[in-house]
Amino acid sequence: MLKPTRTAPRAAAWESSRTASRTITAVPRTGQLLLLLVVTLGSLLVWAAPADAHAALTGSDPKQGSVVEQAPEQVELSFSEKVALSKGSIRVLDPAGKRADKGTISDLSSGSDVRYATALKPGLPDGTYTVAWQAVSADSHPVSGAFTFSIGAASDTSVALPDTEAGGGVVGTLYGAARYVAYAGFAVLVGGAAFLLICWPRGAGLRPLQRLVVGGWLALTASTLAMLLLRGSYTGSGKLGDVFDLGSLGDVLSTKTGAALVSRLLLLAAAALFVAVLFGAYARRDEGDGGAPDGEPGAEKAGSGRAPRDADERRDLGFGLGIGGAVVAIGLAATWALAEHASTGIQTALAMPMDVVHLLAVALWLGGLAALLVALYRAPAVPRPAVLRFSSVAFWSVVALAVTGVYQSWRQVGSWSALTGTWYGQLLLIKIGLIAVLVGMARISRRWTARLSVTTDEGTNTEPAEDTEAPDAAGGGGERTGKGTGKSDRSGPGTRAREAQLARQRAAVEAAADKRRRDGDPERLGLRRTVLAEAAVAVAVLAVTTVLTGVEPGRTEEEASNRQQSASSSEQSGPTNLELPFDTGGENGRGTVRLELTPGRTGNNDLHLFADTPGGKPFDVPEIKVSLTLKAKDIGPLPVTPEHITTGHWSASGVQVPMGGDWQFSVTVRTSDIDQVTVTRNAKIG
């Protein structure tokens, strides 16, 4: 235990030696740390843009690539989940690129069937029409696409579709970077503040830790504002110049994501008050005790002229900060849960609270790790109890991560095939591997902590007092110095000032020597290195987590794929009728093949083929062949060579379909000696 007479000189020495110690040790190592974090972050952020689709187009009427005889009254689109559409989200363009729709969108959804339609103008001429659509999926991510259909016959079109997907380009990259900074800022703000309140209350007076937590608040606030401004362009035009469009910003504020971002800003205002109290009244709770631990002689009045706060008042202040901080932290985490993956899909009532717990566990672990790393490099000493308390907090955070992570993985992936066969599942496996590495490093850090505590307990106490302001040279500090040296304070003011100056110099030298001994201690050095490695892996974990928020969940991807396959197959139980437009690329190489398979079931069937010109007249092509393939069972291709019956008509009898399933019909059409094309279409048989 430190003696009262040594407390004040060591407190003064910390301020005197901090500049030199920063130059010798802290700055180079901090620079290396920042370089490592930036390089790791930069390499991982490449994954984040553009974001994959979270809602998928599962079907349309007219179908993609189809040729219809008469112009339809409307175009219908079917999606895998609810989407948000605005005016102009579905555009139908004629071959000249002019709008062929009326600009109104109707919601035809019923239950799990999600359909939207836009009415077409009457009297549309024949030709190829382009349908371009853009929407926002239920989990706030933009999706887009385009396809064509033809009226009467296919034709050339001058429509040029955009090269970039919704959510891509420069705006998508900036939005992805802002999303990452928001996650990192949240972790540092919440985890750093919790580290100070739970693990090391006296650390609230250290400037490096104060800068860390305030930096987390600034990062989260700035990134939230950036996301709010970028949101309209991110889900709309994708143009950087539209970022400051007030009309677009007004539209964003009326969406679920906009409301979540505004709520986050309001909660950050409350967080600013929390940080002000934490580093103000709470950090000065022991003002006047000269930095001595509670209960020691130096804890009484120590020359500042102020009486120490009552112990009950300090305890009440800490309790209030803990309750208020927990409410703000839960609210901030909820802004993600309300607008991201947890808010859509199955079991949302359970998924959103679990997501809040998951985010808080990440913040307590990784944000606390960042605070511990800063303390190990920038604080004069980190008490053993503080490290052990953080070890306990980290353990329970990992437990919470495991429980909530298993549930989220099941909910978002749903099957082993989706875990290994989708991009979301593969990223999830990477995240699990990184967390396993992080847990292993944490175990090594705990061993170094045990060694450090043994060395401290068996040797002399080398921990200086907490980071407090140095006593005034002519104030209480000078009086204690005089008493400690046994000299009378009856000499003149000049003599007392000289004695105080010499005492501060001796204390500075002693503190610098103590710091060198601590920095050279192998146990402390080992703990620093393992915590630094943990922080580097933590950066990677946050990066992968950010990417996961921009990738379509495995369960959704598989369901959308199944629906698309079902929509692309004919569900008829009777004769199979298919229309297959073709274009061999040569002169008079365009037309349509109509395929009829009767009775359209397993066993023997009759096949009829009719070829028509773009004008609807029978088309006698030199050669036409058909094959059937059942990919799900690895059957085929089964070749069929039909016989020419009359102009534009071929048929084959006894066509065998061995089993029911989603069969692929491939029709090869040759219009000259060198011009040939194969077109395919799926149909459900049996």
Side-chain angles (χ1 to χ4, degrees):
M1 183 178 295
L2 300 177
K3 297 180 181 180
T5 56
R6 293 172 56 91
T7 300
R10 293 202 175 195
W14 164 237
E15 287 295 329
S16 302
S17 64
R18 181 160 55 180
T19 302
S21 63
R22 281 177 179 171
T23 304
I24 296 173
T25 303
V27 171
R29 292 180 180 177
T30 304
Q32 295 172 7
L33 170 63
L34 292 177
L35 178 62
L36 175 62
L37 297 185
V38 169
V39 170
T40 307
L41 171 59
S43 63
L44 288 168
L45 274 181
V46 177
W47 300 359
D52 291 337
H54 288 223
L57 182 69
T58 58
S60 65
D61 186 15
K63 292 182 172 59
Q64 179 176 353
S66 65
V67 179
V68 296
E69 295 182 0
Q70 296 180 347
E73 295 182 357
Q74 61 184 15
V75 171
E76 297 182 11
L77 302 182
S78 300
F79 293 92
S80 59
E81 63 178 47
K82 274 287 187 180
V83 295
L85 298 173
S86 59
K87 185 177 181 180
S89 291
I90 302 176
R91 296 178 300 144
V92 182
L93 307 176
D94 65 16
K98 298 180 180 179
R99 292 288 291 269
D101 62 282
K102 296 181 179 179
T104 58
I105 297 177
S106 305
D107 187 354
L108 307 179
S109 302
S110 176
S112 60
D113 182 19
V114 180
R115 289 185 301 133
Y116 298 89
T118 182
L120 299 181
K121 297 177 181 178
L124 294 178
D126 291 353
T128 298
Y129 289 76
T130 301
V131 180
W133 58 272
Q134 182 168 331
V136 180
S137 59
D139 56 4
S140 79
H141 296 275
V143 291
S144 63
F147 64 90
T148 62
F149 72 93
S150 300
I151 300 175
S155 68
D156 294 331
T157 177
S158 61
V159 176
L161 298 176
D163 297 331
T164 57
E165 299 179 11
V170 176
V171 172
T173 301
L174 292 175
Y175 194 87
R179 185 189 289 125
Y180 178 89
V181 173
Y183 275 118
F186 172 77
V188 170
L189 172 63
V190 174
F195 177 83
L196 295 175
L197 281 173
I198 300 172
C199 305
W200 194 18
R202 289 183 178 276
L206 289 174
R207 290 295 178 85
L209 289 173
Q210 292 178 357
R211 285 194 289 267
L212 176 72
V213 176
V214 172
W217 183 89
L218 291 174
L220 181 54
T221 302
S223 59
T224 302
L225 285 171
M227 292 170 68
L228 194 59
L229 292 174
L230 291 167
R231 182 71 189 174
S233 179
Y234 174 67
T235 59
S237 66
K239 298 178 181 178
L240 192 60
D242 293 342
V243 169
F244 297 101
D245 183 359
L246 295 181
S248 176
L249 180 60
D251 294 337
V252 170
L253 294 178
S254 63
T255 64
K256 179 176 65 174
T257 303
L261 292 174
V262 171
S263 300
R264 190 180 303 168
L265 289 174
L266 294 175
L267 287 166
L268 283 169
L273 179 61
F274 167 85
V275 171
V277 175
L278 176 64
F279 297 142
Y282 187 73
R284 295 194 303 267
R285 70 195 187 285
D286 296 311
E287 186 175 353
D289 65 358
D294 293 333
E296 293 190 6
E300 302 299 332
K301 181 179 178 181
S304 65
R306 301 180 186 179
R309 288 184 173 86
D310 183 78
D312 291 338
E313 180 184 348
R314 296 197 299 270
R315 185 170 56 252
D316 292 343
L317 180 59
F319 179 79
L321 282 174
I323 296 297
V327 172
V328 172
I330 292 172
L332 289 172
T335 61
W336 274 282
L338 291 172
E340 297 286 350
H341 286 160
S343 63
T344 184
I346 61 174
Q347 300 180 356
T348 55
L350 177 61
M352 287 191 288
M354 294 287 274
D355 195 48
V356 169
V357 174
H358 191 82
L359 287 171
L360 291 176
V362 170
L364 290 175
W365 186 14
L366 302 188
L369 185 67
L372 177 61
L373 181 64
V374 170
L376 286 172
Y377 275 96
R378 305 300 298 274
V382 181
R384 174 200 178 198
V387 181
L388 293 179
R389 288 191 199 107
F390 173 71
S391 181
S392 298
V393 171
F395 171 78
W396 289 111
S397 297
V398 171
V399 171
L401 279 174
V403 174
T404 56
V406 167
Y407 171 74
Q408 288 181 331
S409 300
W410 167 82
R411 181 176 177 272
Q412 300 291 1
V413 178
S415 66
W416 292 108
S417 59
L419 182 63
T420 57
T422 64
W423 180 224
Y424 186 94
Q426 293 162 5
L427 280 175
L428 185 60
L429 290 175
I430 293 174
K431 180 180 177 180
I432 292 172
L434 289 172
I435 291 178
V437 172
L438 201 56
V439 171
M441 290 180 175
R443 290 179 62 86
I444 298 174
S445 296
R446 189 173 180 86
R447 293 176 183 175
W448 282 116
T449 302
R451 293 184 183 180
L452 181 65
S453 64
V454 169
T455 303
T456 304
D457 291 340
E458 292 179 354
T460 58
N461 192 337
T462 61
E463 293 183 2
E466 306 297 332
D467 186 22
T468 56
E469 298 294 332
D472 186 81
E479 295 176 5
R480 284 198 305 271
T481 302
K483 293 178 183 179
T485 57
K487 296 185 179 181
S488 172
D489 59 356
R490 297 179 182 178
S491 56
T495 303
R496 289 198 299 271
R498 177 60 178 167
E499 290 175 352
Q501 181 181 6
L502 291 174
R504 286 195 297 272
Q505 290 176 351
R506 287 193 297 269
V509 172
E510 183 181 354
D514 286 344
K515 184 171 180 59
R516 284 194 296 271
R517 285 194 296 271
R518 290 193 306 273
D519 292 343
D521 180 60
E523 285 74 19
R524 183 182 177 92
L525 183 61
L527 180 60
R528 282 182 172 182
R529 288 175 176 174
T530 54
V531 173
L532 177 60
E534 286 184 70
V537 178
V539 171
V541 170
L542 280 179
V544 175
T545 301
T546 304
V547 177
L548 279 171
T549 64
V551 175
E552 183 178 2
R555 181 191 293 271
T556 305
E557 183 176 343
E558 278 202 338
E559 290 178 353
S561 178
N562 293 335
R563 290 186 183 184
Q564 286 176 327
Q565 291 179 3
S566 176
S568 64
S569 302
S570 173
E571 298 294 339
Q572 306 173 60
S573 58
T576 298
N577 297 283
L578 300 176
E579 286 190 0
L580 298 93
F582 65 86
D583 185 353
T584 62
E587 185 178 359
N588 298 323
R590 290 191 300 175
T592 302
V593 172
R594 291 180 288 114
L595 182 151
E596 296 179 0
L597 186 72
T598 56
R601 62 189 181 209
T602 57
N604 287 329
N605 290 267
D606 291 330
L607 176 67
H608 293 271
L609 296 171
F610 301 90
D612 300 323
T613 64
K617 296 180 179 181
F619 189 2
D620 248 351
V621 298
E623 184 180 16
I624 189 167
K625 295 185 295 185
V626 181
S627 64
L628 287 74
T629 305
L630 183 60
K631 293 184 176 180
K633 299 296 183 179
D634 199 21
I635 298 176
L638 306 177
V640 178
T641 304
E643 296 181 358
H644 185 264
I645 303 300
T646 185
T647 303
H649 181 201
W650 294 259
S651 71
S653 300
V655 177
Q656 290 289 326
V657 179
M659 65 175 60
D662 188 14
W663 285 85
Q664 182 185 79
F665 289 78
S666 300
V667 179
T668 301
V669 180
R670 182 172 62 84
T671 57
S672 71
D673 291 340
I674 60 174
D675 298 320
Q676 177 176 300
V677 69
T678 299
V679 290
T680 62
R681 185 65 58 84
N682 284 16
K684 191 80 171 180
I685 298 178

